Amino acid sequence: MIATRYDIALMKNRYHLLLMLLWLAIGTGLRFVRLESLPPWTDECATIVFSLGNSFRPVPLNQLISSDVLLQPLQPIPTVGISAVIEHLLDESTHPPVYFVLAHFWMKLFSPPGELVSIWAARSLSAFFGVASIPAMFGFGYLTFRSKLVGQMAAAMMATSPYAVFLAREARHYTLVILLIIASLCCFIKAIQTIHRQQSLPIWVVLTWVAMNSLGVATHYFFTLTLCAEGFVLLWQIWVKANQTTFAYVRTNWWRIWIVIMGTLVGCLVWIPALKSIPGNDLTTWVASSNPHVRWLEPIGRLLLWTMSMLLLLPSAITNLPLAIVIVSGIVTLLFLLWSLPNLIYGLKIQKQSDSDLAIQILSGYLVGAIALCLAFTYGLGMDLTLAARFQFVCVSAIILLLGAALAGCWNQVKNFNQHRQKLRLLVNGKVAVSIIWLMAVLGGVTVVWNLGYLQNQRPDLLASLIQRVSPQKVLIATTHLHHGQTGRMMGLAWEYQNWPAQNLQFFLARQDSKTKDYTQAMQVFSEQLTKIPRPLDLWLVEFRTQVDLESQQCFPDARYGKSTGEYSYKLYHCTTQKNDTSQTNISS
């Protein structure tokens, strides 16, 4: 009998191990397949430049430069170390250095000196951390619900979640901070569990919690939203327990929680000097551009869309697909949500019946706190944190774990299933429901891999292909420059022109005067430089934020081109040696 029980336990462990290997294989494929399919966008260029220990400042402004000169900061320099990484990052950016230091060593492993960094090398570190989050979610689920089934469901959803796949395929720090959030939440759950069991919080949990919190803040400052949400729920749970038991117990165990608070506070305070430079910084002003007090419904709509994309993402209109495909995707999305929500709610109800009510309360409280903080920043401070999907990384692990718990509840059949199904006609067999929901998540992950759902903040390849098609000869691309974000945007375009003859493509980055806050001097230099370029010439003004007299330079707009492509706004001018009457006719018409 003992041997039989041992064999059964061994078989179950092997079963769970094989399942985990399956989720890892699927998650790895979704994160690494076609990883180099897109050129780097603005923020990825910043990651590469700073991680290499380079600076954007050597890129010349107010003069004509080639794509080779523009891309120079994307090449590794063997003599540059992590001191340069930290120095340039803190001087030119608004991010803490942990991820960039790790990326420094990672990219040097795969990038020979004198050559441009491989975009695969730049993105693969984030993809690696994304894969690591799959078993981490299993551990998070098992610790929280004491159920390997919940852990497996959470791992399966993390492997295929379109949102998680999207973040893992960019050369940014979000997958690392998600791992640190999972670790912090595990300590947070453990602390609340010990409070309810009237046990002491182990000192190793205290030290681990402080370490994860400190690393989290040193990876992304928005990790503080996680700390605040945890603090709200922890205080609430302590208050509830204090009313149920003698306060003496709570007081005797409070000192260990106090160590966590003080240690985390110290880990946050060291970044105060860096945080002081963020408010009003040109790099962060874009979060105040949405005017949420007037368009007050838009942030809520975006927040719902980002949350939904953690489970489901089908081809969308922003990827320039045929209208029929977009309409079908919209209808399927709506029908799937109407069908899946009752099943997921039913699964959570089953989970509550299996002594998981406390875990669901904790995770729900954490999410309420995190979302409340996001909306407080958006509506209270005018900093719209819903503008970018990536800022919702604070919520993704808790949402996926609740989703895993709901799926585990659906998987476990109960006697009163038929009674519930009579009340909610949309309910189907639990295992069938779980299979369909997971397959839709897989489809969403594939949608991300083929760039049909999320659109990168910029798609340099779309504008570059348009320029190459319309202007196959001599081209000048000009933009106005405020900070390294504009340099990064031009780098993304230059990346697509690496095989072009240097004499056929030039860039001009017009610098804003730091005193007058205008481009008057830059436009004078630009006009002078424009006269020296042989004609005919196609001039593309990309993200150009000032007025310039081009008619006097015999440059006339092309009415057919002057819109936005790949999140780049642009205008095309044809520069000739004499006035182009045809272009003028097109404009007037």
Side-chain angles (χ1 to χ4, degrees):
M1 180 65 71
I2 296 176
T4 302
R5 289 179 179 176
Y6 174 79
D7 291 340
I8 293 174
L10 185 61
M11 289 179 62
K12 287 184 177 180
N13 289 334
R14 287 178 177 174
Y15 171 75
H16 284 292
L17 177 60
L18 289 175
L19 273 181
M20 182 53 60
L21 292 176
L22 175 62
W23 310 142
L24 284 171
I26 294 172
T28 301
L30 290 174
R31 285 156 178 79
F32 280 92
V33 170
R34 303 185 75 246
L35 192 59
E36 299 177 90
S37 62
L38 295 179
W41 65 285
T42 303
D43 285 7
E44 289 185 305
C45 289
T47 298
I48 296 171
V49 171
F50 293 131
S51 296
L52 291 175
N54 296 336
S55 170
F56 283 93
R57 289 176 178 167
V59 175
L61 305 177
N62 283 0
Q63 69 181 67
L64 298 175
I65 57 175
S66 66
S67 57
D68 290 341
V69 173
L70 183 57
L71 294 174
Q72 188 69 36
L74 300 180
Q75 297 183 12
I77 301 175
T79 57
V80 172
I82 60 172
S83 60
V85 175
I86 298 173
E87 177 185 353
H88 292 309
L89 183 68
L90 297 181
D91 188 35
E92 300 178 40
S93 183
T94 57
H95 291 295
V98 166
Y99 179 85
F100 297 87
V101 170
L102 294 176
H104 174 78
F105 296 108
W106 181 269
M107 283 193 280
K108 281 200 168 184
L109 288 175
F110 301 100
S111 303
E115 298 181 11
L116 287 178
V117 164
S118 161
I119 193 61
W120 184 92
R123 289 174 178 159
S124 57
L125 179 61
S126 177
F128 172 79
F129 285 132
V131 172
S133 67
I134 299 171
M137 279 304 300
F138 174 83
F140 185 25
Y142 181 72
L143 172 70
T144 304
F145 289 90
R146 290 299 171 187
S147 167
K148 290 183 179 179
L149 178 60
V150 173
Q152 291 287 358
M153 292 295 179
M157 294 310 302
M158 179 60 85
T160 58
S161 167
Y163 181 85
V165 172
F166 166 68
L167 292 183
R169 294 175 62 83
E170 292 197 335
R172 298 296 286 163
H173 40 197
Y174 299 106
T175 51
L176 174 58
V177 77
I178 287 172
L179 267 179
L180 294 171
I181 287 174
I182 292 173
S184 178
L185 286 176
C186 284
C187 297
F188 165 66
I189 294 290
K190 183 69 174 177
I192 294 180
Q193 287 175 345
T194 56
I195 290 172
H196 279 260
R197 294 169 185 165
Q198 298 188 11
Q199 299 173 344
S200 297
L201 185 63
I203 194 65
W204 68 267
V205 175
V206 171
L207 298 177
T208 302
W209 199 358
V210 171
M212 294 302 102
N213 291 345
S214 300
L215 281 173
V217 175
T219 303
H220 200 293
Y221 293 132
F222 281 0
F223 188 90
T224 53
L225 299 179
T226 293
L227 301 180
C228 291
E230 287 181 352
F232 294 153
V233 177
L234 188 60
L235 290 174
W236 167 49
Q237 288 293 323
I238 289 175
W239 181 80
V240 170
K241 197 62 180 175
N243 287 315
Q244 294 175 350
T245 60
T246 59
F247 189 75
Y249 162 75
V250 178
R251 185 174 56 189
T252 56
N253 285 271
W254 173 253
W255 69 272
R256 296 196 178 190
I257 300 295
W258 185 249
I259 292 175
V260 175
I261 294 173
M262 294 305 297
T264 300
L265 189 61
V266 171
C268 294
L269 289 178
V270 297
W271 300 106
I272 290 295
L275 287 170
K276 286 182 178 179
S277 64
I278 294 179
N281 191 297
D282 291 331
L283 291 166
T284 60
T285 54
W286 64 274
V287 296
S289 63
S290 71
N291 200 5
H293 297 108
V294 176
R295 301 176 178 177
W296 63 274
L297 276 176
E298 290 184 5
I300 296 175
R302 283 192 293 265
L303 192 60
L304 290 174
L305 287 175
W306 305 145
T307 303
M308 181 185 71
S309 67
M310 296 177 190
L311 168 62
L312 174 69
L313 181 70
L314 295 180
S316 61
I318 59 177
T319 51
N320 298 319
L321 290 171
L323 181 60
I325 295 178
V326 174
I327 293 174
V328 171
S329 295
I331 293 173
V332 172
T333 298
L334 181 61
L335 292 176
F336 175 77
L337 290 175
L338 291 175
W339 168 81
S340 61
L341 286 177
N343 286 278
L344 293 174
I345 293 172
Y346 170 71
L348 278 180
K349 288 181 178 179
I350 296 175
Q351 220 34 64
K352 281 188 175 183
Q353 296 172 4
S354 60
D355 199 25
S356 299
D357 188 50
L358 176 62
I360 294 173
Q361 284 184 23
I362 295 170
L363 293 172
S364 300
Y366 170 81
L367 284 176
V368 169
I371 292 172
L373 287 168
C374 176
L375 295 179
F377 272 85
T378 299
Y379 292 106
L381 301 178
M383 300 171 57
D384 193 347
L385 301 188
T386 70
L387 283 174
R390 58 187 182 274
F391 290 156
Q392 310 316 312
F393 67 83
V394 175
C395 300
V396 62
S397 54
I399 289 177
I400 287 181
L401 182 52
L402 280 175
L403 184 59
L407 293 177
C410 290
W411 190 266
N412 288 322
Q413 294 295 328
V414 293
K415 295 180 179 179
N416 59 350
F417 174 79
N418 290 327
Q419 180 182 351
H420 282 277
R421 183 166 58 182
Q422 290 175 1
K423 295 179 181 179
L424 293 172
R425 298 290 183 181
L426 295 174
L427 289 179
V428 299
N429 179 277
K431 292 180 174 59
V432 173
V434 171
S435 300
I436 294 173
I437 291 171
W438 183 76
L439 287 173
M440 289 297 290
V442 173
L443 180 59
V446 172
T447 299
V448 174
V449 170
W450 289 94
N451 309 312
L452 299 176
Y454 281 110
L455 182 67
Q456 278 188 334
N457 287 52
Q458 298 92 39
R459 283 285 300 275
D461 57 314
L462 298 180
L463 179 57
S465 63
L466 174 65
I467 294 175
Q468 292 176 12
R469 185 174 70 252
V470 175
S471 306
Q473 301 301 321
K474 192 174 293 294
V475 172
L476 171 61
I477 300 175
T479 189
T480 48
H481 185 276
L482 183 61
H483 50 69
H484 71 253
Q486 287 75 42
T487 309
R489 288 194 174 206
M490 295 303 103
M491 284 178 169
L493 288 173
W495 187 279
E496 292 292 279
Y497 281 96
Q498 295 179 54
N499 297 324
W500 259 47
Q503 66 273 15
N504 286 357
L505 175 66
Q506 291 180 298
F507 291 85
F508 188 93
L509 282 67
R511 179 178 59 193
Q512 184 187 65
D513 190 284
S514 58
K515 295 181 179 179
T516 62
K517 300 299 181 182
D518 61 29
Y519 294 92
T520 303
Q521 182 180 358
M523 290 305 96
Q524 292 175 354
V525 176
F526 179 58
S527 297
E528 293 172 2
Q529 295 290 323
L530 197 55
T531 60
K532 300 177 182 179
I533 304 177
R535 311 295 175 91
L537 168 73
D538 278 356
L539 170 62
W540 292 77
L541 301 184
V542 179
E543 301 291 333
F544 212 78
R545 307 301 186 189
T546 189
Q547 297 294 324
V548 58
D549 178 18
L550 293 175
E551 288 193 10
S552 63
Q553 301 289 332
Q554 299 299 98
C555 297
F556 303 99
D558 190 325
R560 298 167 298 174
Y561 304 98
K563 302 176 183 178
S564 177
T565 295
E567 294 297 303
Y568 284 85
S569 62
Y570 67 89
K571 291 182 180 179
L572 169 61
Y573 291 80
H574 299 292
C575 301
T576 62
T577 55
Q578 59 184 356
K579 189 172 182 178
N580 191 326
D581 296 327
T582 304
S583 296
Q584 287 292 89
T585 303
N586 288 338
I587 295 299
S588 62
S589 62

